[in-house]
Amino acid sequence: MNPRLAAARALAAVLAGKASLAALPAQLEQVEPRDRALAQELAFGAARWQPRLALLAEKLLRKPFKAADRDIEALLLIGLYQLLYTRIPAHAAIGETVACAEQLRKPWAKALLNAVLRRVQREGEALLGALENDPVARTAHPRWLQQALAKHWPEHWEAICAANNEHPPLTLRVNRRLTSRDIYLAELEAAGIPASACRFSRDGILLGEPRDVRSLPGFAEGRISVQDEAAQLAAYLLELMPGQRVLDACCAPGGKTCHLLETEPRLAELVALDAEEKRLARVRENLDRLGLEARLIAADARATDAWWDGRRFQRILLDAPCSATGVIRRHPDIKLTRQASDIPALASLQGELLDALWPTLEVGGILLYATCSILPAENSDTIAAFLARTPGARELDIASSFVGVKPGLAQRHGRQLLPQPHGHDGFYYAKLIKIAAGPRG
């Protein structure tokens, strides 16, 4: 399959609200191996810049596309992306993209695609310049999100948007059970692979440029894993000790689960919970590659009667479902799939999870609340509401866990990490201790 066609089909499903780009691998299976990287770049790139490209297309089209023609709309976005953001020769970008309309059995679209793309070839810079006064076009973020960021982060929102539009870095986590960061950095240097130590994570390494992780020394043997630096901080903040029972709620795909076990291999037990059985398969793969063991349970964390045996945990990690607005650079289709109306429902779910899991924590135990969101409604507001209705909960200071420069920004409750160019993703943490049992435990 033509890589542009594969990218267009995957993107069309996103535009139609039927899928995310997580479905792209199914399309890639039909593409020649040598062209798969191109197909992925086109799908992700068009999604990354879609708010800007869609406004440009709107100016050049006489009328919007019908719902039945999302594939042609996606094809146009992919054509625009090639012309404006890649080094693909214009004649190839236009010719190959227009030809895909035939394969979609919509030959009527060839003339339209050709006309729009050739005009952008001639006038692209001027056309984009005319849109610069619109913050949606300037930042390439949907209006609801651009406005939310400007409201909550008036001093940072444009930098956040710029970071979201970058290609994400590749960050590694060294398995301290098998090696050390210094030793592995020396191995990378000997192999001619540029890398540097992460600023905040003691196990983190930032590669100079992304590459196939399977080609890195020791990956198959479990000496390293891929995990963003912000996510790696959970293992330190939990203050793990030998003999503890630990719950990793909402654990898939298992990066934090594995890091907890690497950080403290003498835990009494680690229970890893996720609502979806199929997502636990990925957790098991990661555990097996790293030679680790955890008890995996498929269940809704809120339904404690269905999975909890009544023995309380000393530590709980709640990496709650969220809007994922802190990891847009890794999942640019979030710009298309997430809506402002989703946020209250997510905040409600997060509160329900906190309320359900709190009774499973023993007095003196610590619950670490985490999201990859940068919206206060899911973070500091959620924690404020929980503390107000939970007399036995107190907040612990996160900054004291770090020597020198602290990651992120202190909030009313917890600490917010914003996405950093060539650094960590957007992430939020709040650390709670149970000082007394409530009516439910």
Side-chain angles (χ1 to χ4, degrees), residues 2-8 11 38 42 46 65 71-84 86 88-107 109-118:
N2 186 308
R4 292 165 179 82
L5 181 60
L11 185 59
L38 173 60
L42 296 180
F65 289 103
D71 48 2
I72 300 299
E73 180 182 356
L75 204 52
L76 176 58
L77 294 173
I78 284 165
L80 293 172
Y81 175 71
Q82 292 171 82
L83 290 174
L84 297 170
T86 75
I88 297 172
H91 70 274
I94 296 172
E96 291 285 338
T97 301
V98 170
C100 288
E102 196 79 52
Q103 299 174 64
L104 290 171
R105 299 182 180 179
K106 295 183 177 180
K110 292 173 66 176
L112 181 150
L113 291 170
N114 187 66
V116 172
L117 293 176
R118 290 202 178 280

Side-chain angles (χ1 to χ4, degrees), residues 122 197 233 358:
R122 296 189 306 268
L233 303 182
W358 193 250

Side-chain angles (χ1 to χ4, degrees), residues 198-274:
C198 286
R199 189 178 187 185
F200 303 112
S201 168
R202 298 187 289 272
D203 300 316
I205 291 177
L206 186 65
L207 292 189
E209 57 185 28
R211 61 177 60 231
D212 185 346
V213 69
R214 294 170 296 183
S215 69
L216 294 172
F219 177 77
E221 294 77 26
R223 295 174 62 216
I224 56 166
S225 299
V226 175
Q227 187 180 35
D228 181 73
E229 181 183 16
Q232 293 182 36
L233 303 182
Y236 316 133
L237 293 172
L238 273 170
E239 301 180 31
L240 300 170
M241 291 185 287
Q244 291 177 334
R245 293 188 73 241
V246 178
L247 171 66
D248 183 0
C250 313
C251 68
K256 298 181 190 69
T257 307
C258 294
H259 196 200
L260 300 183
L261 292 165
E262 291 170 359
T263 301
E264 181 46 78
R266 294 170 294 172
L267 295 175
E269 182 182 36
L270 192 148
V271 177
L273 191 69
D274 202 86

